[in-house]
């Protein structure tokens, strides 16, 4: 998928990704700031990734984990601070949810602060059914904090 919008390019071409930009942003995020570079590289290699570009500069990113048949998990969505408020995040989410590859699959995501954004694209709160298991390394870090 490749789409021009208001001077920005939204693309799922992995050759365009600036992985260093993704690593830097995720390092500042509340949800992925403990991920190693190695884990980020592996996650990108095994996901459908969307980048947003202003010229050669990457200003946005989203990662989709999917079985390509029944569901997808939308994650690691970000827009560079200098480009926020221009509708780019909305256009990115719209492009993903309306893409031929994903529009007929069930979409899942987790967010602490962007519920209103995702509701615009028909995501619904589902606190009754969702469960999660945190990775061993995160649980170990939590144990160390409570012991110390």
């Amino acid at each position: 998928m490749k789409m021009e919008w208001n001077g920005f390019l939204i693309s799922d071409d992995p050759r365009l990704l600036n992985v260093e930009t993704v690593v830097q942003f995720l390092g500042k995020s509340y949800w992925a700031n403990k991920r190693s570079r190695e884990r980020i590289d592996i996650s990108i290699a095994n996901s459908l990734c969307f980048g947003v570009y202003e010229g050669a500069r990457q200003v946005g990113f989203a990662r989709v984990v999917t079985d390509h048949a029944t569901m997808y998990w939308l994650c690691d969505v970000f827009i560079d601070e200098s480009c926020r408020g221009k509708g780019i995040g909305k256009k990115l989410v719209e492009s993903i949810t309306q893409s031929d590859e994903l529009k007929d699959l069930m979409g899942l995501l987790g967010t602490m602060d962007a519920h209103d954004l995702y509701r615009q694209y028909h995501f619904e709160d589902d606190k009754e059914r969702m469960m999660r298991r945190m990775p061993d390394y995160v649980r170990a870090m939590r144990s160390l904090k409570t012991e110390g």
Side-chain angles (χ1 to χ4, degrees):
M1 188 251 322
K2 206 175 240 188
M3 178 174 113
E4 299 272 345
W5 179 81
N6 283 359
F8 295 91
L9 171 67
I10 299 173
S11 175
D12 62 358
D13 185 343
R15 297 170 298 179
L16 298 177
L17 289 175
N18 182 328
V19 177
E20 193 56 43
T21 297
V22 175
V23 168
Q24 288 176 10
F25 184 86
L26 292 178
K28 294 185 269 182
S29 72
Y30 67 81
W31 67 88
N33 60 8
K34 303 287 190 254
R35 275 189 219 158
S36 69
R37 169 65 187 252
E38 179 183 20
R39 285 189 187 274
I40 292 170
D41 289 342
I42 293 168
S43 71
I44 289 172
N46 290 295
S47 300
L48 176 59
C49 296
F50 294 81
V52 181
Y53 308 90
E54 184 177 41
R57 182 172 79 108
Q58 184 169 348
V59 299
F61 178 78
R63 190 167 63 84
V64 175
V65 181
T66 182
D67 64 4
H68 302 280
T70 61
M71 58 80 60
Y72 65 89
W73 178 267
L74 176 60
C75 53
D76 294 342
V77 179
F78 77 81
I79 300 298
D80 186 89
E81 291 87 356
S82 68
C83 293
R84 292 183 186 164
K86 298 178 180 180
I88 301 166
K90 290 179 182 180
K91 196 62 176 178
L92 175 59
V93 173
E94 177 186 304
S95 299
I96 293 167
T97 59
Q98 293 303 305
S99 69
D100 288 339
E101 189 170 359
L102 302 172
K103 68 182 180 182
D104 291 324
L105 307 183
M106 180 179 63
L108 302 169
L109 62 84
T111 185
M112 287 179 54
D113 58 1
H115 296 83
D116 289 340
L117 167 68
Y118 294 112
R119 284 185 190 116
Q120 295 175 54
Y121 302 97
H122 309 288
F123 285 91
E124 303 169 355
D125 294 331
D126 187 3
K127 294 177 177 107
E128 294 175 13
R129 291 191 235 170
M130 297 300 293
M131 295 181 74
R132 71 176 175 189
R133 179 189 180 276
M134 297 304 291
D136 288 353
Y137 76 95
V138 172
R139 289 195 323 277
M141 285 189 303
R142 287 181 180 168
S143 294
L144 292 173
K145 286 181 184 176
T146 58
E147 291 172 10

